[in-house]
Amino acid sequence: MELPASLRQGVEALLEGTPVSTLREAGKILSARYRAEVRDGRLHMAGDRAVKAYLAQRLPATYAAVRAAMAAVAEAKGDMEPRTILDVGAGPGTALWAAADTWPSIQQAVLLEASAPARAVGERLAQGLALRCEWHAGDATLSLPAMAPADLVTACYLLDELAAAALPELAERLWALTAGTLLVVEPGTPAGWRRILDLRSRLIAAGGHVLAPCPHEAPCPLAAPDWCHFSRRVARSRLHRLAKEAEVPWEDEKFAYVAVSRHPADRRAARILAPPGTGSGKSALKLCQADGVAVEKLFTRRDAGAFRAARRADWGDAFDSSA
Ligand SMILES: C[S@@+](CC[C@H](N)C(=O)[O-])C[C@H]1O[C@@H](n2cnc3c(N)ncnc32)[C@H](O)[C@@H]1O
């Protein structure tokens, strides 16, 4: 997946003149903090250098993950036409760009971000979008500024930066501000999945309908050491490769997510939970079904229609063997 051209150009303009060595060093510190899920009261993106490292090394991957999650939401609810978005923990505005690409109906955005340099960069990038945007400073764990509910509320790669004790109240606040759909995306680690599961059960208890990835509101059928996550391949730009000292021109971003709506999905196809297993004349899919059960299903040439559909399908796709 590639960034929209105007976002890519905006990022390149912001990084122009920054020495690769600076991006490399700041990127190492940033990655180490993310990997260790450091919560020491300081923001990971407290300074300009960290924000630039995020633009070079993380934004393409978080964009790809959020965009993929939004595609799944749009598929589950084809009549969704959000006009307003509230993005909490917006960083450089990644979710705003992904939402604008998914739903051209979006006209107005409110973005909350605690880090001043991330806000400044996000505001500058968002000038490339023909939308009314309002950026707010604030700490989502303390309170949210007085804001009107939005059709789409997003919190992407935010929860892993917060103390676990803050999450129940934040879930309540985000849901109260959701007029339509709340989408939360986290890193695709077992810890990210557990945060998503906790949030999912709270939102279902509050009356929410799951749009994706689960085609049901039953308890998650997966149990540790298994966990529900997905993956997107991301092209690395030349600068991205240089900043990461990486040879390979791509990377795989693993993510976990849940989208919960005030309104039910209009499509409840099974979700493919792992890379399909293919062999000559057969295809095996691990599916999470609408009855809340996870199954491994084998499709063979004997059922030509279902087999063809299974051969075309990929990890993370909605799958309906009768389609
Ligand atoms: C990993 S970044 C994700 C940025 C963006 N959502 C994305 O997906 O690329 C998390 C963002 O949340 C912000 N953040 C962390 N704690 C916050 C808090 N308590 N209130 C508001 N924003 C916060 C950070 O400053 C950072 O910009």
Side-chain angles (χ1 to χ4, degrees), residues 34 43-45 54 59 62-63 66 87-95 112-115 118 138-141 155-158 160-162:
Y34 277 127
L43 292 168
H44 298 333
M45 281 201 267
Y54 192 88
L59 173 102
T62 63
Y63 177 88
V66 175
D87 185 27
V88 179
T94 323
L112 182 91
E113 170 52 52
S115 149
D139 181 340
T141 62
C156 301
Y157 291 85
L158 168 69
D160 71 325
E161 294 198 14
L162 308 178

Side-chain angles (χ1 to χ4, degrees), residues 274-290:
T278 50
S280 152
K282 55 188 180 202
S283 189
L285 297 184
K286 181 179 175 188
L287 298 170
C288 185
Q289 302 184 140

Side-chain angles (χ1 to χ4, degrees), residues 180-230:
T181 299
L182 169 60
L183 170 66
V184 178
V185 182
E186 282 288 288
T189 56
W193 172 62
R194 284 194 296 273
R195 285 187 287 268
I196 291 287
L197 272 191
D198 179 68
L199 184 92
R200 177 183 184 273
S201 51
R202 287 175 194 283
L203 298 175
I204 291 171
H209 303 269
V210 180
L211 296 186
C214 346
H216 58 81
E217 278 84 31
C220 177
L222 301 189
D226 197 3
W227 76 102
C228 180
H229 65 294
F230 304 95

